[in-house]
Amino acid sequence: MRLMKLVLAFLLILLCASALAQQPVVYTMQIEGPIEPAVALYVHRSIQIAERNDAQALIVLIDTPGGLGDSMDSITKDFFASDVPIVVYVWPRGAKAASAGAIIALAANIAAMSPATNIGAAHPVAIGGEQPDQVMSKKLENDAAASARKIAKERGRNVQVAEDFVRKSVSLTQDEAKKQNVIDIIADDQKDLLQQINGRKVQTANRVVIINSRNADVRTIAPSLRERFLHVVGNPNVAYILMLIAIYGIIFELQNPGSVFPGVVGGIALILALFSFAVLPVNLAGVLLIVLGIALLVTDVFLPGHGILTVGGLIAFVIGSLILFETRSPVFRISVTLVITMAAVTGAFFLFAVGAGIGAQRAKVVTGKEGMIGQVAEARTDIAPKGKVFAEGSWWNAVTEGEPIKKGELVCITGMDKLLLRVKKQENPKA
């Protein structure tokens, strides 16, 4: 009897283990904010994890104003190359899949939206802050429209609306998108989404998959530490601050050789800023204006110009900061509040920190040999040509470089050879 119970318990354990082993797995990841290289790396890694674990689907929760075209292309290519069904879900309420986010949603095997969301407005914006000519603008638009049509056709979505996203910056609510065959599902939440995708047949890169999401084990893939770091560094506001820290650190190190710490911080910030500039749409004119503004501030410290150079430098600095990145795209726009704050900090930095350093370098030496020269002392003996003077609280041997000097007269120290002072008669004893 006891043996029978043990056998039954063992069989029960095996059945439970088998049920757990057969439980379907669905992975989720979240894109929030601009689409840039760190996001593309995150998507690529998430797809690899889902494929390795034979997941039923990878749900990409998305809320983005858009981003870089290269990163968008990388993500859509990964979607089409995936062996795991990709579900893009515009979530939570109030979220949007705009610009690059709209094209990413079109590229999914299943596109879904939650209530009170929108999708679209994918007209291409030239990078670099420069207004492209009509020919180049048309080329960019045609290329983006062709890409949107191709993706929509491949996924069986409304090709015309996909093109209108690009050419007319059309934006649709979830109901409009569902009605016009842009998305497949409107789901109240992730639980509702899992119920609605269950049993759907989709074509992945190499096979046809019938999704089994009923009672699925939902696992979240969080961004790695590296991806989080790259995402932060790729933020235009962070890149801007890093650039200024680099400038401050290097200038402070040059003004105070050997202090080390400012130079190390400035060097690290410079490398990180260069990385940011490599992935962000930098406007060269903005960089040059910032450099010119700082150069004018430095010049005003060395060659005071009654504040004119400082005012001109701050104006150039502010204008350069405002156009440093693509200002016509809200994705890469620097905060105006941040620009004004950093302009004030920069002005104060050069007015006090750098000015104090240069003033200290220019200050007259008041100790040692250099400090003795120019001082006025009293002759304690006749100096003709040698005698003694009293200076710095001590008696000194002295030699006159001019007319003889009588005891009690004031002398000016003009030089020093070891412990012998060279002096001459003070021309204005009353001074």
Side-chain angles (χ1 to χ4, degrees):
M1 190 70 178
R2 190 173 186 181
L3 180 62
M4 177 108 26
K5 288 183 179 179
L6 288 174
V7 171
L8 288 173
F10 180 70
L11 291 174
L12 184 60
I13 292 172
L14 286 179
L15 287 173
C16 290
S18 176
L20 289 173
Q22 292 176 1
Q23 184 180 15
V25 175
V26 172
Y27 283 94
T28 68
M29 61 163 293
Q30 186 167 8
I31 297 176
E32 188 174 12
I35 304 295
E36 33 79 26
V39 174
L41 288 174
Y42 176 33
V43 171
H44 183 76
R45 182 175 64 86
S46 298
I47 291 175
Q48 288 182 326
I49 292 173
E51 288 179 336
R52 282 200 304 268
N53 291 277
D54 196 26
Q56 291 295 309
L58 171 65
I59 299 176
V60 180
L61 309 173
I62 190 168
D63 179 13
T64 177
L68 299 176
D70 289 344
S71 300
M72 176 195 73
D73 290 341
S74 176
I75 292 172
T76 57
K77 287 176 183 177
D78 281 341
F79 281 7
F80 282 110
S82 173
D83 262 344
V84 170
I86 305 294
V87 181
V88 169
Y89 181 34
V90 185
W91 180 89
R93 289 172 181 261
K96 61 183 175 182
S99 193
I103 306 303
I104 289 172
L106 290 174
N109 296 105
I110 298 174
M113 297 174 69
S114 60
T117 55
N118 63 282
I119 184 173
H123 193 281
V125 178
I127 64 173
E130 300 176 359
Q131 179 66 42
D133 57 42
Q134 290 186 354
V135 174
M136 180 56 68
S137 181
K138 199 65 179 176
K139 285 182 178 179
L140 289 171
E141 182 182 307
N142 289 339
D143 181 67
S147 179
R149 288 198 307 270
K150 175 183 66 178
I151 290 173
K153 183 178 179 180
E154 181 69 21
R155 293 307 194 196
R157 310 197 193 284
N158 191 320
V159 174
Q160 184 58 54
V161 173
E163 183 170 357
D164 288 344
F165 281 168
V166 175
R167 296 195 185 278
K168 300 179 181 180
S169 293
V170 169
S171 185
L172 305 176
T173 66
Q174 74 281 351
D175 293 323
E176 294 168 338
K178 179 70 164 60
K179 183 178 180 180
Q180 298 187 48
N181 189 32
V182 173
I183 64 170
D184 307 293
I185 294 171
I186 298 175
D188 291 331
D189 50 34
Q190 293 182 51
K191 183 178 180 181
D192 184 25
L193 177 66
L194 288 172
Q195 291 176 349
Q196 292 196 51
I197 65 174
N198 183 61
R200 287 191 177 244
K201 181 188 294 186
V202 298
Q203 174 69 56
T204 63
N206 299 303
R207 56 180 179 147
V208 174
V209 177
I210 298 177
I211 299 175
N212 176 20
S213 57
R214 189 183 301 277
N215 300 320
D217 176 16
V218 180
R219 304 174 185 176
T220 300
I221 303 173
S224 66
L225 183 61
R226 173 172 176 257
E227 289 157 357
R228 290 178 187 272
F229 174 74
L230 294 179
H231 185 61
V232 170
V233 172
N235 183 295
N237 291 311
V238 174
Y240 175 63
I241 293 173
L242 286 172
M243 179 191 69
L244 295 181
I245 291 175
I247 293 172
Y248 298 154
I250 292 171
I251 289 177
F252 195 85
E253 180 67 27
L254 292 175
Q255 290 299 320
N256 301 272
S259 53
V260 180
F261 180 74
V264 171
V265 172
I268 294 172
L270 177 62
I271 293 172
L272 293 176
L274 290 175
F275 169 81
S276 299
F277 288 174
V279 300
L280 291 171
V282 178
N283 181 358
L284 181 59
V287 176
L288 293 177
L289 277 171
I290 291 174
V291 172
L292 173 62
I294 292 175
L296 290 175
L297 291 168
V298 173
T299 302
D300 206 18
V301 172
F302 280 98
L303 303 172
H306 306 290
I308 295 176
L309 294 179
T310 296
V311 173
L314 288 175
I315 291 173
F317 180 88
V318 170
I319 295 174
S321 299
L322 291 174
I323 67 171
L324 181 59
F325 298 108
E326 175 52 66
T327 56
R328 288 176 291 117
S329 170
V331 179
F332 300 110
R333 185 175 297 159
I334 297 178
S335 166
V336 175
T337 302
L338 177 62
V339 170
I340 294 173
T341 301
M342 296 311 296
V345 170
T346 300
F349 175 79
F350 281 96
L351 195 61
F352 296 106
V354 177
I358 294 173
Q361 291 180 3
R362 290 176 173 175
K364 181 180 177 180
V365 179
V366 294
T367 60
K369 177 180 176 181
E370 292 80 2
M372 294 284 289
I373 297 172
Q375 286 194 26
V376 176
E378 181 184 350
R380 291 299 175 93
T381 66
D382 291 339
I383 305 175
K386 291 185 178 182
K388 292 186 179 293
V389 300
F390 189 80
E392 294 282 329
S394 302
W395 287 70
W396 296 81
N397 292 322
V399 59
T400 179
E401 293 185 331
E403 60 182 297
I405 301 170
K406 294 181 180 181
K407 178 181 177 181
E409 291 184 330
L410 296 179
V411 298
C412 178
I413 301 171
T414 60
M416 185 174 181
D417 294 324
K418 296 184 179 178
L419 298 179
L420 178 65
L421 301 182
R422 293 196 302 272
V423 299
K424 66 178 181 179
K425 188 176 181 180
Q426 177 72 2
E427 298 294 337
N428 185 13
K430 294 181 181 181

